[in-house]
Amino acid sequence: MMRHALDGLTVLDFTHIGAGPTCTMLLADMGARVIKVEPPQGELGRQLGPAWIGDDSALYHAFNRNKLGLSLDLKTPQGVEVARTLARTADVLVESMRPGVMRRIGLGYDVLSADNPGLVYASISAYGQDGPYAERPGVDGIIQADSGLMSIIGTPASEPCKVQAPVVDVFTGYVAALGILAKMMERRRDGKGGQLDINLLNAALALQQPSIAGYLADGVLPKRQGSAAPYSAPNEAFETADGWIMVAAYNGGRWDRLCEVLGRVDLIHDQRFETSATRVANREAMRDTLGPLFKAQPSEHWLAVLRKVDVLCTRVADYADLVGHPQVAANGMIAGMSHPALGTIRVPGFPINSRESNAVPHAPAPALGEHSADILASFGFSRGAIAELLDRKVIGSQYPRTAP
C-alpha cells in the first residue's frame, strides 16, 4: 500500500510555505517519518490566510499533515548542534532557505555529508543554487511572472493573470519528491547520498512544456486566449443560458457531431473549420458562430446531448460544485484529519491510489514544537539534556516537558 511505501525512512524538513512542505508531505503520506523543524516563532506558512483553522492558516494544515513537529532555534550554537545530531542518522534532508544560508549556519551539505555520506540533501530555492539569480528571493507569483507563465494566462484584453492556486509551488514539491525517490534508488546501488538542486523556475518551465516547445519551434509568442487551448479547437469554454461548459470537439469526428447537435451541419465543410488547425487559425470566427447557439439552452441540456454523441464536455465547476462532485467522492480524494482541539479538518488527500490511501487516517499538521521532546529522545538525547534545551529555549514545546 502506498501509505507504507517509505516506512523506515527519516526525513528532516527545514522548509516553509509551499514547495518544500508539499514535497515532505508527500513523503510523509507514503510512510516516511518526517520531522518538521520550525523556528521558535513557527514557519511563515502558519500566518498566510485566509482561511484560518484555529490559530493557523488552512494553508499550513493542508501542507503539513502526517509530520512530527520540532521547534528548534537555529540561531543558537546548541540548536545547530541538535540539527547536526539529527542529520547524522537521517536519510533525507529537505531545505528551502535562500542558497548559502544553511552553509553559513553550519548545516550545509558539505558539513553534514561528512558525518553522513548517505544523506540525500534536497535544496529547494527560487532560481537554483548557482548562477546570476541564485541569491534572489522568489515566491510562486514572482516565478509565475518570471517564467512566462503569466504571459499566457487571461484573455486577449486582460492584464496578465496568475493561476490563483500556487501551482508552481505545488508542482515544484512533486518534482522534489520525484528527485528524492530517484536518488534513494541510486543510493541503494552505491550507498552514496548527494545534493539535489530543485528550483521553482525550472519547475515552472517544465510545467509549460508544450507552450515553450511551440515557441522554440516557430518563434511565435503565444497569445492569451482565456479558456482556449492554443493547439486545438474547439477546446474551450462556451457560455450557455445559465452558466459555462467546457467543450473539446477537435478530434475523432467530434467536430462533425458537434455541428449536427447544434443544427449547423453546413459548418462541417466550411473551409475555415475543416480541421483543428484551420479552426485554431479562425478561432474568433468559430466562436462568433457557435457562441449564440450555446446560449440558447441551459448547461444541462448541452451536457446531455453532447455526451450522448461522445463529444467531450463538462460544466465549469467552482469549489462548491467540487465538494459535491460524485467522482471526487468515489476517488476518496477529500481526506479528513481528526484534530484533538479543532475537530475534523478536510483537505485534498494523497492522489495515488487515492481511495485506499485516504481511507487510512491522516495525522493533522503538528502544533509548533508538539513532538520536540519525543523526537530528541528517539535520537538518543537524555531526559536531562532535553530539559536543559527546553530551559534555554533552544527547543520549544506547547506541551509539558515529558521525555521518555
Side-chain angles (χ1 to χ4, degrees):
M1 186 176 176
M2 293 297 295
R3 289 292 297 278
H4 297 289
L6 301 182
D7 282 2
L9 195 73
T10 296
V11 179
L12 302 181
D13 177 1
F14 294 84
T15 69
H16 293 252
I17 307 179
T22 297
C23 166
T24 53
M25 177 190 71
L26 294 170
L27 300 177
D29 285 350
M30 291 185 282
R33 179 174 69 147
V34 174
I35 298 169
K36 183 172 182 64
V37 183
E38 296 185 73
Q41 69 274 20
E43 74 133 295
L44 180 58
R46 290 180 181 269
Q47 305 161 28
L48 298 181
W52 304 100
I53 301 175
D55 294 330
D56 296 313
S57 69
L59 177 151
Y60 171 77
H61 287 279
F63 283 146
N64 291 287
R65 63 173 177 251
N66 295 323
K67 302 177 185 180
L68 302 174
L70 168 62
S71 174
L72 184 63
D73 189 352
L74 294 176
K75 294 181 179 179
T76 66
Q78 298 95 330
V80 171
E81 186 53 43
V82 168
R84 289 189 62 173
T85 299
L86 272 55
R88 287 188 184 105
T89 55
D91 298 289
V92 177
L93 184 149
V94 187
E95 59 94 4
S96 61
M97 309 292 188
R98 200 179 301 188
V101 169
M102 289 288 277
R103 183 176 64 252
R104 286 195 293 273
I105 65 175
L107 296 174
Y109 173 70
D110 291 345
V111 171
L112 299 186
S113 62
D115 293 336
N116 181 0
L119 181 67
V120 174
Y121 190 108
S123 295
I124 301 176
S125 63
Y127 288 99
Q129 297 300 303
D130 300 294
Y133 282 26
E135 292 295 322
R136 289 193 183 186
V139 293
D140 180 274
I142 293 297
I143 303 302
Q144 285 199 38
D146 208 6
S147 68
L149 182 57
M150 282 177 61
S151 75
I152 64 172
I153 301 174
T155 61
S158 76
E159 64 184 81
C161 298
K162 70 184 292 290
V163 182
Q164 293 301 298
V167 61
V168 173
D169 268 351
V170 172
F171 184 59
T172 303
Y174 276 77
V175 170
L178 173 66
I180 289 167
L181 295 179
K183 193 65 178 174
M184 292 298 298
M185 288 296 295
E186 189 175 45
R187 191 180 79 167
R188 289 178 62 180
R189 295 195 296 269
D190 61 19
K192 298 177 182 178
Q195 186 171 17
L196 303 175
D197 179 357
I198 301 137
N199 60 79
L200 274 65
L201 180 62
N202 284 359
L205 299 182
L207 190 62
Q208 300 172 77
Q209 192 92 350
S211 301
I212 295 175
Y215 173 73
L216 294 175
D218 61 21
V220 177
L221 287 170
K223 299 177 181 178
R224 294 193 293 274
Q225 300 187 50
S227 64
Y231 46 80
S232 59
N235 189 3
E236 52 218 282
F238 291 94
E239 188 176 8
T240 69
D242 63 351
W244 289 81
I245 62 171
M246 185 72 181
V247 177
Y250 55 87
N251 66 350
R254 291 186 174 94
W255 168 252
D256 294 5
R257 297 197 294 276
L258 174 64
C259 293
E260 291 167 359
V261 166
L262 292 171
R264 290 295 306 271
V265 294
D266 58 299
L267 298 177
I268 295 173
H269 301 294
D270 189 314
Q271 290 185 348
R272 298 172 298 171
F273 308 139
E274 281 188 324
T275 67
S276 177
T278 60
R279 292 191 292 271
V280 168
N282 296 284
R283 189 187 299 275
E284 186 174 352
M286 180 197 70
R287 290 190 59 83
D288 288 345
T289 303
L290 301 187
L293 303 175
F294 278 108
K295 287 183 180 180
Q297 297 288 346
S299 296
E300 284 303 321
H301 167 81
W302 293 120
L303 294 176
V305 297
L306 292 174
R307 286 170 180 161
K308 188 174 181 180
V309 297
D310 189 35
V311 171
L312 305 184
C313 59
T314 190
R315 181 186 300 277
V316 177
D318 60 23
Y319 286 178
D321 297 318
L322 196 66
V323 170
H325 197 298
Q327 190 60 48
V328 173
N331 289 349
M333 190 52 195
I334 302 299
M337 303 182 294
S338 180
H339 193 284
L342 302 173
T344 299
I345 298 170
R346 295 191 299 166
V347 296
F350 187 69
I352 304 171
N353 290 352
S354 54
R355 185 168 51 249
E356 294 82 6
S357 294
N358 297 316
V360 178
H362 291 278
L368 181 58
E370 179 175 349
H371 307 99
S372 294
D374 290 343
I375 289 168
L376 296 195
S378 74
F379 279 85
F381 285 78
S382 68
R383 184 194 302 265
I386 294 170
E388 182 178 354
L389 290 168
L390 282 164
D391 285 337
R392 294 187 176 187
K393 298 186 175 3
V394 175
I395 65 171
S397 177
Q398 293 185 358
Y399 299 88
R401 291 182 301 173
T402 56

